[in-house]
Amino acid sequence: MRKVLVLAVMVVAIAGLQRNALASDWNMPVGVTEISRSVYSLHMLIFWICVVIGVVVFGAMFYSLFRYRRSKGAKAAHFHEHTTVEVFWTTIPLLILVAMAVPATATLKEMYDTSESDLDVLITGHQWRWQYEYLGEGVSFFSNLSTPSAQIEGEAPKDEHYLLEVDQPLVLPVDRKVRFLTTSADVIHSWWVPAFAVKKDAMPGFINEAWTRIEEPGIYRGQCAELCGRNHGFMPVVVHAMEQDDFDAWLAERKQQAASAANSVDREWKMDELMAQGEKVYSTICAACHQAEGQGLPPTFPALAGNQALMDDLEKHIGVVLNGVSETAMPAFSGTLNPVDIAAVITYERNAWGNETGDVIQPSDIQARLSSE
Amino acid sequence: MAPKLPPKAPLEHGNSITGGASAHEGEHHYRSGPLRWLLTTNHKEIGTLYLIFSLSMFMVGGIMALVVRLELFQPGLQMVQPEFFNQMTTMHGLIMIFGAVMPGFVGLANWMVPLQVGAPDMALPRLNNFSFWLLPIAFVLLLSTLLMPGGGPNFGWTSYAPLSTTYAPPSTTFFIFSLHMAGISSILGAINIIATILNLRAPGMRLMDMTLFVWTWLITAFLLIAVMPVLAGVLTMMLLDINFGTSFFNAAGGGDPVLFQHLFWFFGHPEVYIMILPAFGIVSVIVPTFARKPLFGYSSMVYATASIAVLSFTVWAHHMFSVGLPLVAELFFMYATMLIAVPTGVKVFNWIATLFRGSITFETAMLFALAFIVLFSIGGFSGLMLAIAPADFQYHDTYFVVAHFHYVLVPGAVFSIMAAVYYWLPKWTGHYPDERLGRWHFWLSVIGVNLLFFPMHFAGLAGMPRRIPDYALQFADFNMASSIGGFLFGFSQLLFIWVIVKCVRGGVKAPARSWDGATDLEWTVPSPAPLHTFETPPDMRRIES
């Protein structure tokens, strides 16, 4: 028996010492906002209250177990009621709880005050990526996991920020009140950054509000917190907080890019250009369900490679990508991808993995179709 | 509630033995082979069936948990793909809740409620048979979804729409049907337990004379009847959304995914207490026996149980603090949830006051009951932390929550069932369980369960979301420790099976009163309890000293 105990203690100790443990590896992070510090102190307050109650209660219990062993000749008493004591241990916890509820209420009220924001960001959850739209600025983009699948499959060593890195982080200014509006295009997701103490569910059909005011520039990482399907564990949140000047410069650059992208719709695209762009779009957007080689995961996610019915019907293919398929997981992409990406990905799907239709779909055609609908 | 007339009970018993197709008086005793178990209406045999079923499901659900722990042993995807991982977490939850813990408690109620109230059988014996046999059918159906195209349910046991409707695998309809059957089984079982307790108590036994186990089950049965129909309702709405084109939870059709969560947790939170109130009852019976001292604060225990049951209907949205509830709702549900700590605390204090100045011995049943008190309290503490809504934004949907509910369910509910098995095995089999093996089982389980679940607190606080098949590197050590603990705990349960089998086959003979501190009615009948007991009800007015 003792050997087992010693072994267990050793396992825990080795596991604990293996890493140079930082405080935030074991405990809730203090974070970089006023709210996150209030939440942290509430957490520590209730924790220490529990510890004190635990010491007293378990102390009394182990004292009784030790002191009143029959093997040491303890004779049982026969009392079974004591009104004063019972009233005492009902009211004391009640008072502790009231004392706890007061600061919790204050913090909660603070968290709910989303008024007078300096910047509004619409966060839309998708299976399995986040979309960020800077409201009123005309800037919108997807943020995808950038950890290569070789690292996930164990074929390459894992980076420091394994599973917590994205292609395009959400960029925010420091010392500004940023309001987050969360919603979802498909199932429920939950946008969470521990350093801000912000976790808000992204609900289809609803827009939820949260806010933060970041105090230090830096990169802050979080994850989707609500089970949202196959790749729930693979849609991290990365926020890059920077000074207002840097943020303004970044935003201007993004606006520039958006404008030039709009121009490129009208020009004639070549097959290999579309294929290259299409492969990029496919691997970040479509491959999560339809798989890297287009083989799909039937019956939920149909195969695209060798899907003859689809290859014979270009109109249907375009319609499915633009409008989605109702009652299934296939979303409508007309609102989330630009015409270039839509044209490119359809071209790619019709000419990759043994699909050899030779179809070249021009962004201008997609644009025309979108405006006619 | 006036005591029933003595002739009533034998009459009920007379009904019970006409349970077969061509039954006649006395046939029950001689039927052999599988038909005996299929057609039995005897509360002891049905209790045994429930307990065997519960133990089997505990093993099946446990294997699924081990698949999960194996995948989480190291970062990266090694053993299974994410969709299978999600099926394992979902099925593990469903099977442990509806297949292991609930039928475990129902089995104990079947065996012990009639014996503790001095009744010859359950009030509705044929219904009892039906309630049991629904379960194996329901769970074979549920397990078969794993083999269907697209796999089994993969949306978590909470089945949040629209992941569980529009985006669910085709097998979801079967999942709904199997849970409907399990739900009907629970409701029928609950009706039976209420009818037995209210109508078949021995003459002279008042409600406030009943053991805490009977009391907690009476209250639990009312909770079941109140909330299982809500689960049935929400499952039916899912069924309609999936197969009949309705849009209860589909935002695109004007539906409301938050409505699903309100309905689910209106069932789900009382469900949590359904799985813990009978455990309170068991511990309240075992602790006085081995402290050789009456339970401290009997009536406050009863009132605390009733308060917890009533409050359990007013706290459901604490599972939903992050869905975007209005501030006033958050405050209400936060206060109500904190309030539950008061009656729960009273219970723990009462158990300790029972130990105080007792004459204590540490048989295996007592060890499990004592571990329950400590480890359940730890789960209670983390529950109190989770009640604080602003902090819950950080805890919610992380491993901190996983640690919390496993502390109340495994060293909580499951340990109480194990304590009950060790406590009542002498009554069931006529033999004492092997104390030495029992102690091994206990210590390995306690060490395993803490190594399994304690590090999850740290992983959650450090930011690890629940229900993910792969995780960032800073969570690696906690997960490795948890996995080692999981395998230790899992394989220790083989010892449990061994102890039970050994005890059924033989061992030190147990007298009627198998524990010298035991005072309840079941210890007045021989060990093993004969198939029919209390055919003439004991007169409590005479027995009471």
Side-chain angles (χ1 to χ4, degrees), chain B residues 33-51:
Chain B
L35 267 191
R36 169 183 167 192
W37 293 101
L38 193 65
L39 300 176
T40 180
T41 55
N42 181 288
H43 75 101
K44 300 185 184 76
E45 291 184 337
I46 294 176
T48 303
L49 286 174
Y50 265 111
L51 290 170

Side-chain angles (χ1 to χ4, degrees), chain A residues 1 4-5 8 11-12 15-16 18-19 24-29 36 39 42-43 46-47 50 53-54 57-58 60-65 68-71 74-82 85-86 89-90 93-94 97-98 100-101 104-105 107-109 111-112 127 151-154 158-160 162-164 185-188 190 192-201 203-206 208 223-234 297-300 327-330, chain B residues 75-77 81-83 86 149-150 154-156 160-163 166-167 169-170 241-242 250-251 256-258 261 291-300 321-327 330-331 334-335 338-339 341-342 346 348-350 352-353 355-362 370 373-374 377-378 381 384-385 388-398 439-440 443-444 447 451 458 460-475 477-478 481 484 516:
Chain A
M1 191 69 49
V4 178
L5 255 169
V11 169
V12 177
Q18 217 172 16
R19 288 174 55 84
S24 68
D25 281 356
W26 291 79
N27 199 357
M28 183 188 287
S36 74
V39 168
L42 279 175
H43 159 68
I46 187 78
F47 171 72
C50 289
I53 297 174
V57 170
F58 297 149
M61 180 174 169
F62 284 105
Y63 170 78
S64 302
L65 290 180
Y68 301 108
R69 282 170 294 168
R70 190 173 66 166
S71 58
K75 293 271 182 294
H78 283 279
F79 65 89
H80 52 85
E81 260 170 12
H82 196 294
V85 168
E86 290 177 68
W89 69 38
T90 312
L94 205 58
L97 290 178
V98 172
M100 192 61 226
T105 304
T107 304
L108 195 61
K109 277 188 173 159
M111 291 172 115
Y112 262 70
Q127 282 182 324
Q151 289 188 20
I152 296 171
E153 303 294 339
K158 296 176 179 29
D159 291 338
E160 186 190 354
Y162 175 71
L163 296 188
L164 297 178
D186 37 55
V187 300
I188 302 168
S190 189
W192 179 32
V193 180
F196 309 159
V198 170
K199 182 184 283 149
K200 210 63 170 176
D201 289 1
M203 289 270 171
F206 283 78
N208 281 330
Q223 283 180 269
C224 176
E226 182 64 57
L227 177 63
C228 55
R230 182 183 195 275
N231 287 354
H232 163 53
F234 304 92
L297 286 170
T300 318
E327 305 296 309
T328 74
M330 180 68 190
Chain B
L77 290 178
Q81 287 301 302
E83 48 280 77
N86 288 346
N154 57 9
F155 30 70
Y160 280 7
L163 187 63
T166 314
Y167 297 84
D241 268 13
I242 293 170
N250 178 5
D256 181 350
V258 182
Q261 298 185 22
R292 292 168 185 78
K293 188 162 156 283
L295 181 68
F296 186 87
Y298 171 89
S299 41
S300 72
F321 279 147
S322 68
V323 301
L325 298 175
L327 178 61
E330 300 257 324
L331 291 174
M334 173 168 80
Y335 300 150
M338 291 166 79
L339 211 52
V342 175
V346 165
V348 175
F349 301 147
N350 281 343
I352 292 170
L355 292 170
F356 183 70
R357 294 183 57 203
S359 172
I360 304 167
T361 51
F362 300 93
L370 294 173
I373 297 175
V374 174
S377 297
I378 290 176
F381 287 142
L384 191 54
M385 296 173 78
I388 311 296
D392 182 73
F393 286 113
Q394 294 283 48
Y395 307 137
H396 179 68
D397 266 331
T398 69
R439 271 157 208 269
W440 270 99
W443 285 109
L444 289 174
I447 293 165
L451 186 57
F458 301 125
L461 291 175
M464 179 168 167
R466 62 190 286 205
R467 295 168 163 166
I468 55 175
D470 192 6
Y471 48 83
L473 302 179
Q474 66 263 39
F475 312 126
D477 298 336
F478 301 129
I484 294 169
D516 62 301

Side-chain angles (χ1 to χ4, degrees), chain B residues 300-368:
Chain B
S300 72
M301 283 295 217
V302 173
Y303 300 139
T305 310
S307 327
I308 292 172
V310 171
L311 283 173
S312 76
F313 287 103
T314 65
V315 298
W316 75 88
H318 68 213
H319 298 271
M320 303 164 57
F321 279 147
S322 68
V323 301
L325 298 175
L327 178 61
V328 61
E330 300 257 324
L331 291 174
F332 172 81
F333 286 108
M334 173 168 80
Y335 300 150
T337 306
M338 291 166 79
L339 211 52
I340 284 201
V342 175
T344 314
V346 165
K347 287 187 163 290
V348 175
F349 301 147
N350 281 343
W351 290 322
I352 292 170
T354 307
L355 292 170
F356 183 70
R357 294 183 57 203
S359 172
I360 304 167
T361 51
F362 300 93
E363 286 79 355
T364 310
M366 181 63 159
L367 289 175
F368 273 104

Side-chain angles (χ1 to χ4, degrees), chain A residues 20-319:
Chain A
N20 183 11
L22 296 165
S24 68
D25 281 356
W26 291 79
N27 199 357
M28 183 188 287
V30 181
V32 290
T33 67
E34 200 186 319
I35 292 285
S36 74
R37 282 194 299 272
S38 310
V39 168
Y40 177 79
S41 48
L42 279 175
H43 159 68
M44 291 315 287
L45 176 63
I46 187 78
F47 171 72
W48 285 115
I49 288 175
C50 289
V51 168
V52 170
I53 297 174
V55 167
V56 173
V57 170
F58 297 149
M61 180 174 169
F62 284 105
Y63 170 78
S64 302
L65 290 180
F66 188 76
R67 173 78 175 69
Y68 301 108
R69 282 170 294 168
R70 190 173 66 166
S71 58
K72 290 285 174 266
K75 293 271 182 294
H78 283 279
F79 65 89
H80 52 85
E81 260 170 12
H82 196 294
T83 313
T84 319
V85 168
E86 290 177 68
V87 169
F88 174 78
W89 69 38
T90 312
T91 39
I92 295 295
L94 205 58
L95 294 176
I96 296 175
L97 290 178
V98 172
M100 192 61 226
V102 174
T105 304
T107 304
L108 195 61
K109 277 188 173 159
E110 190 81 357
M111 291 172 115
Y112 262 70
D113 179 16
T114 52
S115 63
E116 293 174 23
S117 61
D118 302 314
L119 173 69
D120 294 340
V121 180
L122 175 65
I123 301 173
T124 309
H126 297 262
Q127 282 182 324
W128 291 276
R129 64 190 57 83
W130 295 102
Q131 183 186 13
Y132 300 116
E133 183 177 349
Y134 295 74
L135 293 179
E137 305 288 351
V139 171
S140 167
F141 57 87
F142 285 103
S143 182
N144 295 287
L145 175 74
S146 63
T147 300
S149 64
Q151 289 188 20
I152 296 171
E153 303 294 339
E155 292 150 8
K158 296 176 179 29
D159 291 338
E160 186 190 354
H161 297 300
Y162 175 71
L163 296 188
L164 297 178
E165 50 198 354
V166 295
D167 52 358
Q168 301 187 84
L170 172 65
V171 177
L172 294 176
V174 295
D175 296 326
R176 294 286 181 279
K177 184 165 184 175
V178 181
R179 185 167 65 135
F180 302 116
L181 302 162
T182 63
T183 187
S184 168
D186 37 55
V187 300
I188 302 168
H189 303 269
S190 189
W191 195 81
W192 179 32
V193 180
F196 309 159
V198 170
K199 182 184 283 149
K200 210 63 170 176
D201 289 1
M203 289 270 171
F206 283 78
I207 292 180
N208 281 330
E209 288 181 283
W211 69 274
T212 193
R213 187 191 294 272
I214 308 165
E215 292 172 0
E216 285 170 40
I219 293 178
Y220 304 105
R221 296 168 200 275
Q223 283 180 269
C224 176
E226 182 64 57
L227 177 63
C228 55
R230 182 183 195 275
N231 287 354
H232 163 53
F234 304 92
M235 51 181 293
V237 174
V238 180
V239 177
H240 187 176
M242 50 178 73
E243 298 291 349
Q244 180 73 41
D245 293 348
D246 301 333
F247 174 76
D248 289 341
W250 174 86
L251 195 63
E253 192 190 325
R254 292 302 300 219
K255 282 182 187 170
Q256 190 71 40
Q257 283 174 11
S260 65
N263 290 335
S264 66
V265 171
D266 296 330
R267 74 176 173 85
E268 182 89 356
W269 284 63
K270 292 202 182 62
M271 176 77 157
D272 51 348
E273 283 179 311
L274 286 169
M275 286 298 280
Q277 178 68 10
E279 185 170 7
K280 233 191 284 173
V281 176
Y282 184 85
S283 62
T284 52
I285 306 283
C286 317
C289 299
H290 294 292
Q291 303 298 298
E293 297 301 314
Q295 73 273 33
L297 286 170
T300 318
F301 306 124
L304 301 178
N307 185 334
Q308 205 51 47
L310 195 64
M311 292 311 125
D312 290 344
D313 192 346
L314 174 61
E315 279 307 299
K316 183 185 167 200
H317 195 164
I318 296 173

Side-chain angles (χ1 to χ4, degrees), chain B residues 262-282:
Chain B
H262 281 297
L263 291 171
F264 180 83
W265 286 115
F266 190 83
F267 146 77
H269 201 79
E271 168 71 17
V272 170
Y273 292 98
I274 286 166
M275 292 190 285
I276 206 66
L277 294 184
F280 290 164
I282 290 166

